[in-house]
Amino acid sequence: MSAAVSKIDELKTTPWAGGHSPFKAEYGKLMMWFFLLSDAFTFSSLLIAYGALRFSMPTWPSADKVFQSVPGLLDSGAPLVFVGIMTFILIMSSVTMVLAVEAGHRNSKKEVVMWMIFTVIGGFMFLGCQALEWTHLHHEGFWWASIPKNEETLKEFFHHVPGVTLAAQETAAQNFANLFFTITGFHGFHVFSGVIINIIITINVLAGTYERRGSYLMVEKVGLYWHFVDLVWVFVFTFFYLV
């Protein structure tokens, strides 16, 4: 009888006995990781589709020719400068989010609010820059199901490749425009969603919600999402602006 009881007690202490948090992670944080993983698959499929089309075409719009403007300042001659500014803004917003999470670990309400506000400002600045970039490209003739109609204007966005026809350039430009606005738009939607969530979290911090709970874990969960959005931008930047 005693042997049977000891066996039951032994089973209760095994990892499979239940009542244990997997990976030592809080439930909400674990669910956030699951969501981010599924979202990563979505972005991956879009970027793989871009790569498949990009390298199956005989020609493709050149990034240093398409993205050589600084909207409102320069129409040309500054390749990748503006997107570099956009990337810097988004990376700095990730830094401020890290500082907000760190302040939360110290239960410093004022610092959490300050760094969250800076993060929100960075998100709005990035979205504003993206709106300017989209407006400029639309003015140049690029849009969903739309490319520059003028033949000479269209050719300005390509490096010269012998034997490539105008029809091939038009097809490449159309594929580029459709994928660019779809993928960057999808990413922009994630940034906008993150900004709205950050605003809600900041309001809750000001209201003392997490102070009463004794934990700023919610700030850390939102931080995971924000860092994911920044990481995705690194891949979008590489695929569209560098490759």
Side-chain angles (χ1 to χ4, degrees), residues 17-18 31 54 69 74 78 93 95-96 98 111-112 134 136 150 167 201 236:
M31 292 302 102
R54 163 71 177 83
S69 67
L74 297 170
S93 74
V95 173
T96 56
V98 168
E111 289 187 51
V112 173
W134 276 32
H136 175 76
N150 184 283
I201 296 301
V236 173

Side-chain angles (χ1 to χ4, degrees), residues 83 87 90 126 187 229-237 241:
V83 71
T87 303
L90 203 56
F126 177 85
H187 177 266
V229 169
D230 288 0
L231 179 62
V232 168
W233 178 253
V234 172
F235 287 97
V236 173
F237 176 82
Y241 299 93

Side-chain angles (χ1 to χ4, degrees), residues 57-141:
M57 301 288 294
T59 188
W60 196 257
S62 178
D64 62 342
K65 291 179 175 290
V66 176
F67 306 107
Q68 61 171 320
S69 67
V70 179
L73 295 176
L74 297 170
D75 287 332
S76 61
L80 307 184
V81 170
F82 190 65
V83 71
I85 295 171
M86 292 173 60
T87 303
F88 176 77
I89 290 171
L90 203 56
I91 290 174
M92 289 307 298
S93 74
S94 232
V95 173
T96 56
M97 178 58 83
V98 168
L99 293 172
V101 172
E102 190 275 332
H105 289 162
R106 292 186 285 104
N107 293 314
S108 178
K109 178 180 175 180
K110 289 184 178 180
E111 289 187 51
V112 173
V113 171
M114 178 181 69
W115 294 121
M116 288 297 290
I117 289 174
F118 283 147
T119 303
V120 169
I121 291 172
F124 275 128
M125 289 176 66
F126 177 85
L127 291 171
C129 289
Q130 189 171 56
L132 287 172
E133 182 182 53
W134 276 32
T135 301
H136 175 76
L137 289 173
H138 184 263
H139 176 73
E140 293 289 329

Side-chain angles (χ1 to χ4, degrees), residues 183-202:
I183 295 175
T184 59
F186 190 50
H187 177 266
F189 171 75
H190 279 70
V191 175
F192 177 76
S193 300
V195 168
I196 298 302
I197 295 170
N198 284 341
I199 291 173
I200 294 171
I201 296 301
T202 304

Side-chain angles (χ1 to χ4, degrees), residues 137-138 141-149 154 170-182:
L137 289 173
H138 184 263
F142 284 104
W143 198 242
W144 278 288
S146 177
I147 57 174
K149 302 302 180 184
L154 181 63
E170 290 176 342
T171 301
Q174 190 62 81
N175 288 333
F176 167 81
N178 290 341
L179 286 164
F180 175 81
F181 289 111
T182 297

